[in-house]
Amino acid sequence: MRITCIGGGPAGLYFALLMKKADPTHEVRVLERNRAGDTFGWGVVLSDQTVEALRTADPATAEQISDAFNHWDDIAVHIGGRRIVSGGHGFCGIGRKKLLNILQSRCERLGVELVYETDVGDDADIDADLIIAADGLNSRIRQKYAATYQPDIDLRACRFVWLGTTKLFDAFTFDFQQTEWGWFQAHAYRFDDTHSTFIVEAPEDVWRAAGLEEMSKEDGIAFCGQLFAGVLDGHTLISNASHLRGSAQWIRFPRVVCKTWVHRNDRGTPVVLMGDAAHTAHFSIGSGTKLALEDAIALARDIQSHGDLSEALKAYEAARSIDVLRIQNAARNSTEWFENVERHARLAPEQFAYSLLTRSQRISHENLRLRDARYVGEFERWLAGQAGVDAEVPPMFTPFRLRGLTLKNRVVVSPMAQYSCEDGVPGDYHLAHLGARAQGGAGLVFAEMTCVSPDARITPGCPGLWTDEQGAAWQRIVAFVHANSSAKIAMQLGHAGPKGSTCVPWAGGDDQPLAAGHWPLIAASEQQYLAGISQLARAMTRADMDRVRDDFVAATRRAAAAGFDWLELHCAHGYLLSAFISPLTNHRDDAYGGPLENRLRYPLEVFIAMRAAWPDDRPISVRISAHDWVPGGTTPEDAVAIAAAFKDAGADLIDVSSGQVSKAQKPVYGRMFQTPFAESIRNRVGIATMAVGAISEADHVNSIIASGRADLCAIARPHLANPAWTLTEAARIGYRGPVGLEWPKQYLSGKSQLEREFERQRAGNVAAAEQANKALGV
């Protein structure tokens, strides 16, 4: 096979040597635009996993690379005059030039043809059976065939410069400096016996305000040296980008995602993207070179294992696109964290450092404990101390105080519609359902959305609080929860608006209109939730607004009389008040339509009236849709303004959900996918938040609470499957209490058995991990 690699970076060189090693009859050449000794950048980082993959693919190369590594375990975070260190992270650093020299030398020994000072902008004249486009993030080959590759290039919000220094850092070091213009941060790590990489980064507006756009290259480097003098200890910063002038050394990171990676040119030759030409991952997770090398390993392996080149290319693209997506999702989380240092810096240094360590969501609370149990233990004791507890307690089991109420822990049973009432009256089913979950260990149990009038219901099976009979039924349930558990119980009040008068889910679906017995619907504007299917809701008049507001107030008084500890107003998911807030559903031309301030006017009016009727010592929260997931709908930035308006009106907490406003929505799902919205609101508005959505493990809850992304976590479907979810998760992570954890005395005999079973599982997992590490020589 005749193979040409365009680009002599890690991807092109490593693929070339692997193919030549696999079959010396292959004619393999690498075309590189720079001279043999040229390189830009300083050190690169590889994970232990990548190093092991190199050992498997080509032991000779891996041995040389390993011999050149500088290895460290610690991450040090410098902020506000503090230095916080966490260990056990296992990084390997190597100079980029050294890495390229090793790969070049190995290629030459194997017989790969290396052609330098050859700038390839077009593949038209390349006669080969396979062309690898490894020509970097500004790939001209990718641009030529953009119609096939369909690249999505997103320039991120920060400027950064890649520098070096003779200061030899003993840990992967992050240093944060606040200036009159905003925050700057440095990422620094040693990669050989004489030098460390030193990357300086700042948001674009901060970079411009500091005058760096107008500075010479030398002045810009001097500026950074003075700013980070505290960690440089007298050492200077150095640039090796001699070809750049002025502020050109400062760039914005381009996130590259390609829909496809393989194109056949006019000759019929497959042209395959590899490395940065196919994808990029932000330097803050150190995976660019890792991905490039793993691309090369994967394609070489697929070619050898498939007899047909076309099948091999399909396998390569299918497998690698998934692997890369996982890394890019983590990189996106990390990138956004560094783009928003200003809001994270409002946290205490201890929590700021924890938030940084877990920013990508690849490292969870328990994973961090495995890396450094000392650090996590000390952090847990500090965090518990902030809640008034002098003990080493997992974050999810720390108490939470709001007004006159204290929750024993941070776990909330989310409000989940059960559609099981007669005439809006909750019965024995609700007593058993909510009572079981209150005994299951959660700190707060929510009743499902409860309707303030008959025409406020979603379905005929929805509960209500518009009559004294309904109030008495709820009082019975509240009394049971209080008498038989230490959980608190919350009422969520709402009005279905345009999404009402529908079937229960098991009798047609709760978005399908009733065949008979329907009731008139109202909305912010005339609306049909499902075009051509749903009942048409008419626009509310001022008289309607007065009636509905008074209905909410009356229900609020009944909830207080029933003894509920907490009240929530439902302003999300396309229901009545949400329909006022979203521009997708509010088309009014009066004082309640138009800009967000007007669209919020009526929901705030309802909330203020409820707050006045609710006891002052009990909390009241608001559930919002932070993102409609539809162009032209509510955005996460709008959500910040919405939360601020409710805070000013007296809200104690924002329950942050998203979507369900329009059937045209296209959410981006994933673990804890709505939590970033909760974090943004919490740390920008300065109000407590509740995270909800795809939170299913204690590890998720601990990570969210510990990093300051939310104050409470609402768990929905897992609580349907297991009413004792909280007790089960405590046993799973080995927490026995007593802080934040109370087993019903009747169930105590099951506690020890469950704890022993999970203890055996953990021991088995540790033994398996140790065996695997021993086999890998780790």
Side-chain angles (χ1 to χ4, degrees):
M1 183 186 296
R2 295 168 302 155
I3 302 169
T4 296
C5 298
I6 303 172
L13 289 170
Y14 200 56
F15 178 73
L17 73 85
L18 289 178
M19 291 303 295
K20 193 67 175 176
K21 176 193 171 194
D23 187 345
T25 66
H26 288 321
E27 296 178 18
V28 186
R29 64 173 178 161
V30 177
L31 308 179
E32 167 57 36
R33 66 174 176 267
N34 295 312
R35 295 173 298 180
D38 288 348
T39 189
F40 309 104
W42 293 85
V44 297
V45 176
L46 299 177
S47 67
D48 290 341
Q49 181 184 23
T50 302
V51 173
E52 182 53 35
L54 296 179
R55 288 194 183 103
T56 302
D58 183 35
T61 304
E63 183 178 358
Q64 293 181 65
I65 293 173
S66 296
D67 289 345
F69 272 147
N70 183 73
H71 188 277
W72 68 94
D73 287 314
D74 292 348
I75 293 177
V77 181
H78 296 246
I79 186 167
R82 298 279 303 281
R83 183 177 190 264
I84 299 171
V85 179
S86 168
H89 297 279
F91 293 101
C92 298
I94 184 173
R96 178 175 171 81
K97 184 173 183 178
K98 179 66 174 178
L99 175 63
L100 292 179
N101 288 342
I102 290 171
L103 297 178
Q104 290 163 354
S105 175
R106 179 70 170 144
C107 281
E108 289 170 348
R109 285 198 299 273
L110 290 170
V112 174
E113 180 185 2
L114 302 181
V115 183
Y116 297 102
E117 299 182 70
T118 302
D119 193 7
V120 180
D122 194 335
D123 62 309
D125 297 328
I126 296 177
D127 186 14
D129 301 308
L130 174 64
I131 298 173
I132 301 299
D135 51 341
L137 60 87
N138 296 313
S139 170
R140 284 185 282 178
I141 301 299
R142 183 187 66 220
Q143 182 58 36
K144 178 181 178 181
Y145 299 125
T148 299
Y149 298 131
Q150 299 181 56
D152 176 7
I153 301 175
D154 176 25
L155 282 177
R156 301 305 306 180
C158 285
R159 291 272 180 171
F160 71 95
V161 59
W162 197 297
L163 302 171
T165 179
T166 53
K167 165 67 184 291
L168 301 180
F169 290 92
D170 59 0
F172 196 119
T173 299
F174 295 100
D175 187 43
F176 297 85
Q177 294 295 329
Q178 186 176 25
T179 70
E180 60 185 288
W181 311 286
W183 286 89
F184 284 78
Q185 57 258 13
H187 313 236
Y189 54 91
R190 177 180 176 177
F191 62 85
D192 65 18
D193 293 338
T194 58
H195 289 85
S196 297
T197 297
F198 201 93
I199 303 171
V200 179
E201 183 184 27
E204 173 93 6
D205 58 339
V206 174
W207 176 79
R208 291 183 185 277
L212 284 158
E213 184 180 20
E214 307 300 327
M215 289 186 194
S216 67
K217 180 165 74 173
E218 293 72 23
D219 287 345
I221 293 172
F223 173 92
C224 294
Q226 293 172 3
L227 185 59
F228 294 102
V231 292
L232 286 169
D233 295 330
H235 294 262
T236 58
L237 293 175
I238 314 161
S239 171
N240 64 4
S242 58
H243 60 300
L244 297 177
R245 298 288 181 270
S247 62
Q249 64 183 339
W250 292 88
I251 62 174
R252 290 168 61 191
F253 186 85
R255 188 223 57 184
V256 177
V257 178
C258 290
K259 188 170 183 179
T260 63
W261 297 5
V262 180
H263 171 83
R264 289 191 179 271
N265 63 18
D266 291 341
R267 292 172 175 259
T269 305
V271 183
V272 183
L273 297 180
M274 188 175 286
D276 284 350
H279 46 69
T280 58
H282 193 258
F283 57 82
S284 62
I285 66 168
S287 291
T289 302
K290 160 192 167 67
L291 288 176
L293 295 172
E294 290 176 353
D295 283 352
I297 292 170
L299 182 54
R301 182 187 60 237
D302 288 336
I303 290 174
Q304 293 166 43
S305 61
H306 290 78
D308 181 79
L309 180 59
S310 295
E311 291 302 313
L313 296 178
K314 288 179 183 177
Y316 164 71
E317 183 177 81
R320 286 302 293 157
S321 60
I322 294 173
D323 291 340
V324 167
L325 180 62
R326 293 192 185 102
I327 296 294
Q328 287 189 314
N329 285 342
R332 181 193 65 232
N333 295 334
S334 181
T335 304
E336 292 176 352
W337 193 96
F338 282 103
E339 290 172 345
N340 294 287
V341 166
E342 181 179 3
R343 73 177 186 237
H344 303 305
R346 298 172 188 175
L347 302 171
E350 291 85 353
Q351 197 164 35
F352 177 90
Y354 180 98
S355 177
L356 184 152
L357 292 170
T358 58
R359 67 193 180 279
S360 73
Q361 296 185 20
R362 289 195 300 171
I363 298 178
S364 68
H365 191 74
E366 292 306 312
N367 183 268
L368 196 56
R369 192 192 306 278
L370 287 174
R371 294 168 184 240
D372 191 342
R374 176 207 56 81
Y375 165 77
V376 171
E378 290 178 358
F379 174 77
E380 286 184 343
R381 182 171 289 277
W382 172 85
L383 189 66
Q386 306 309 296
V389 175
D390 183 16
E392 191 174 304
V393 181
M396 67 185 285
F397 292 108
T398 55
F400 178 66
R401 296 180 180 87
L402 210 54
R403 292 196 182 238
L405 183 70
T406 298
L407 303 180
K408 64 181 177 183
N409 62 46
R410 307 303 183 101
V411 179
V412 177
V413 176
S414 194
M416 295 174 285
Q418 300 297 294
Y419 309 108
S420 299
C421 286
E422 292 286 341
D423 297 322
V425 179
D428 290 345
Y429 172 82
H430 293 82
L431 178 69
H433 169 69
L434 295 171
R437 280 144 190 85
Q439 291 179 313
L444 181 65
V445 177
F446 261 94
E448 63 198 274
M449 187 182 94
T450 299
C451 307
V452 298
S453 61
D455 66 337
R457 292 173 295 166
I458 307 169
T459 76
C462 289
L465 201 45
W466 67 82
T467 70
D468 290 342
E469 180 187 5
Q470 293 161 350
W474 282 118
Q475 186 174 28
R476 171 176 173 248
I477 294 169
V478 170
F480 179 89
V481 169
H482 287 161
N484 293 278
S485 78
S486 55
K488 305 302 181 182
I489 185 166
M491 166 56 66
Q492 185 189 71
L493 293 177
H495 191 302
K499 296 176 72 174
S501 193
T502 61
C503 303
V504 296
W506 46 86
D510 66 351
D511 59 356
Q512 298 299 309
L514 292 169
H518 57 80
W519 52 86
L521 302 182
I522 54 175
S525 302
E526 186 176 281
Q527 181 190 345
Q528 195 174 27
Y529 180 63
L530 294 180
I533 299 175
S534 297
Q535 185 184 159
L536 185 67
R538 65 173 175 83
M540 291 177 73
T541 64
R542 183 62 250 186
D544 293 323
M545 294 183 195
D546 291 342
R547 175 181 67 83
V548 170
R549 179 201 60 215
D550 292 346
D551 287 343
F552 271 99
V553 171
T556 296
R557 292 196 174 105
R558 287 191 177 95
F564 280 98
D565 304 295
W566 182 301
L567 183 66
E568 180 163 284
L569 175 62
H570 202 320
C571 292
H573 302 167
Y575 296 131
L576 182 66
L577 299 181
S578 168
F580 271 89
I581 296 172
S582 174
L584 298 175
T585 49
N586 185 338
H587 307 294
R588 301 178 72 99
D589 57 8
D590 59 7
Y592 299 95
L596 179 60
E597 180 182 6
N598 285 3
R599 302 197 308 273
L600 274 169
R601 191 185 303 271
Y602 182 62
L604 286 171
E605 181 182 321
V606 172
F607 175 83
I608 290 169
M610 291 171 62
R611 178 71 266 183
W614 183 246
D616 191 58
D617 62 339
R618 302 186 209 175
I620 183 168
S621 58
V622 181
R623 172 168 279 204
I624 68 170
S625 284
H627 197 330
D628 286 346
W629 303 105
V630 178
T634 300
T635 68
E637 280 301 307
D638 293 331
V640 172
I642 292 166
F646 279 109
K647 176 189 176 185
D648 291 343
D652 300 298
L653 179 143
I654 304 297
D655 180 358
V656 188
S657 186
S658 72
Q660 302 180 52
V661 172
S662 167
K663 284 294 186 181
Q665 67 178 10
K666 293 184 178 179
V668 179
Y669 292 114
R671 289 183 307 160
M672 304 175 280
F673 73 105
Q674 294 175 151
T675 301
F677 308 142
E679 185 276 327
S680 176
I681 290 169
R682 181 184 191 269
N683 294 321
R684 294 170 68 183
V685 177
I687 187 171
T689 60
M690 186 186 313
V692 60
I695 302 170
S696 59
E697 302 173 8
D699 225 6
H700 296 165
V701 180
N702 281 326
S703 298
I704 290 169
I705 302 303
S707 60
R709 304 178 79 192
D711 300 274
L712 297 172
C713 288
I715 316 297
R717 289 177 178 86
H719 270 126
L720 291 180
N722 181 5
W725 181 88
T726 305
L727 301 179
T728 304
E729 289 298 299
R732 191 186 309 277
I733 64 174
Y735 180 63
R736 289 174 164 79
V739 177
L741 184 68
E742 181 184 21
W743 277 71
K745 56 183 177 292
Q746 299 90 340
Y747 300 163
L748 283 174
S749 62
K751 178 178 186 288
S752 57
Q753 181 179 352
L754 188 65
E755 289 170 345
R756 285 195 302 271
E757 177 59 32
F758 280 124
E759 188 173 358
R760 283 194 294 268
Q761 290 183 20
R762 288 193 302 273
N765 291 338
V766 170
E770 290 176 347
Q771 185 72 19
N773 286 339
K774 184 177 181 180
L776 297 175
V778 178

